[in-house]
Amino acid sequence: LTLQSDSADRAVRLAALDQRTQGCTSCRLSQSRTQIVFGAGNPETDLVFVGEGPGRDEDLKGEPFVGRAGQLLDKIIAAMGRRRSDVYICNVVKCRPPENRTPLPDESAACNPFLAEQLAILAPRAIVALGKCAAQVLLATDEPISRMRGRFFAYRDVPVMPTYHPAYLLRNPAAKRPVWEDMQKVMQLLSGSSSNG
Ligand code: URA
């Protein structure tokens, strides 16, 4: 198998998974969504950001992180010397929770097979868990985000860096500094030599 066919395979497999999410009625969020927000970005990326769930703007557009928090995430990605188009962005739940509330445990559990397969296909070298919900779901823990951020954990052998959610940064600009420190650790990890290209 060549590297090229391997990466083409990722795009095809992600598109197939996206297709399989369409029409999902596994949880109550399916009743209030406008559309499923599967995820977006480069299927061959080394870096994946996982948020909580689509908000109003995302639900209308069908793309993750396109509202105010998304604009701040774009700045974080740019500060890392990357572009949105060369990373991949998705959420714990693919449908908008009413009033942007945090997904309930049964909702994140219902969506988890999609997230798990998405991350297995992407097989990134690092995952950034944006906020408490993503960190707690990926790492199956109740630890507060303030205690987890800044250190790498593992999700199926992939290093996970929990950090504060961009929406939290909008309300607490002082938390931008620790997030930048966290992202520098991710950049350092990714600058190391890769074992699988
Ligand atoms: N917040 C999230 O967690 N995800 C989005 O896609 C948008 C806002």
Side-chain angles (χ1 to χ4, degrees), residues 37 50-56 58 63-67 69-70 89-93 130 165-167:
V37 181
V50 180
E52 179 174 308
R56 183 177 54 106
E58 292 78 20
E63 260 186 70
F65 282 99
V66 291
I89 305 172
C90 62
N91 285 302
V92 165
V93 293
L130 296 168
H165 193 286

Side-chain angles (χ1 to χ4, degrees), residues 70-109:
Q71 285 160 27
L72 183 49
L73 179 59
D74 281 340
K75 285 192 190 176
I76 293 167
I77 292 168
M80 296 173 79
R82 309 291 290 263
R83 292 162 176 249
R84 172 183 279 254
S85 57
D86 65 46
V87 303
Y88 190 93
I89 305 172
C90 62
N91 285 302
V92 165
V93 293
K94 312 307 187 197
C95 299
R96 181 195 183 193
E99 316 301 328
N100 298 349
R101 63 163 169 74
T102 300
L104 299 173
D106 66 322
E107 294 161 353
S108 51

Side-chain angles (χ1 to χ4, degrees), residues 41-189:
N42 182 353
E44 301 161 51
T45 192
D46 56 353
L47 178 59
V48 174
F49 292 84
V50 180
E52 179 174 308
R56 183 177 54 106
D57 298 305
E58 292 78 20
D59 174 71
L60 292 172
K61 248 197 143 180
E63 260 186 70
F65 282 99
V66 291
R68 274 185 79 217
Q71 285 160 27
L72 183 49
L73 179 59
D74 281 340
K75 285 192 190 176
I76 293 167
I77 292 168
M80 296 173 79
R82 309 291 290 263
R83 292 162 176 249
R84 172 183 279 254
S85 57
D86 65 46
V87 303
Y88 190 93
I89 305 172
C90 62
N91 285 302
V92 165
V93 293
K94 312 307 187 197
C95 299
R96 181 195 183 193
E99 316 301 328
N100 298 349
R101 63 163 169 74
T102 300
L104 299 173
D106 66 322
E107 294 161 353
S108 51
C111 219
N112 198 256
F114 293 136
L115 177 64
E117 189 167 346
Q118 195 169 30
L119 294 174
I121 293 167
L122 288 160
R125 292 181 63 212
I127 295 170
V128 174
L130 296 168
K132 166 183 163 164
C133 173
Q136 292 189 344
V137 167
L138 286 174
L139 303 173
T141 178
D142 291 328
E143 282 281 301
I145 185 69
S146 59
R147 297 259 305 259
M148 284 189 280
R149 63 144 287 271
R151 289 181 288 148
F152 284 106
F153 295 79
Y155 173 82
R156 301 185 175 177
D157 290 338
V158 181
V160 175
M161 174 61 75
T163 198
Y164 295 121
H165 193 286
Y168 176 79
L169 300 185
L170 291 171
R171 301 189 301 270
N172 301 275
K176 287 180 183 177
R177 187 208 289 256
V179 168
W180 177 233
E181 288 166 3
D182 300 347
M183 294 309 95
Q184 285 176 297
K185 290 179 185 169
V186 172
M187 289 157 66
Q188 192 169 20
L189 178 85

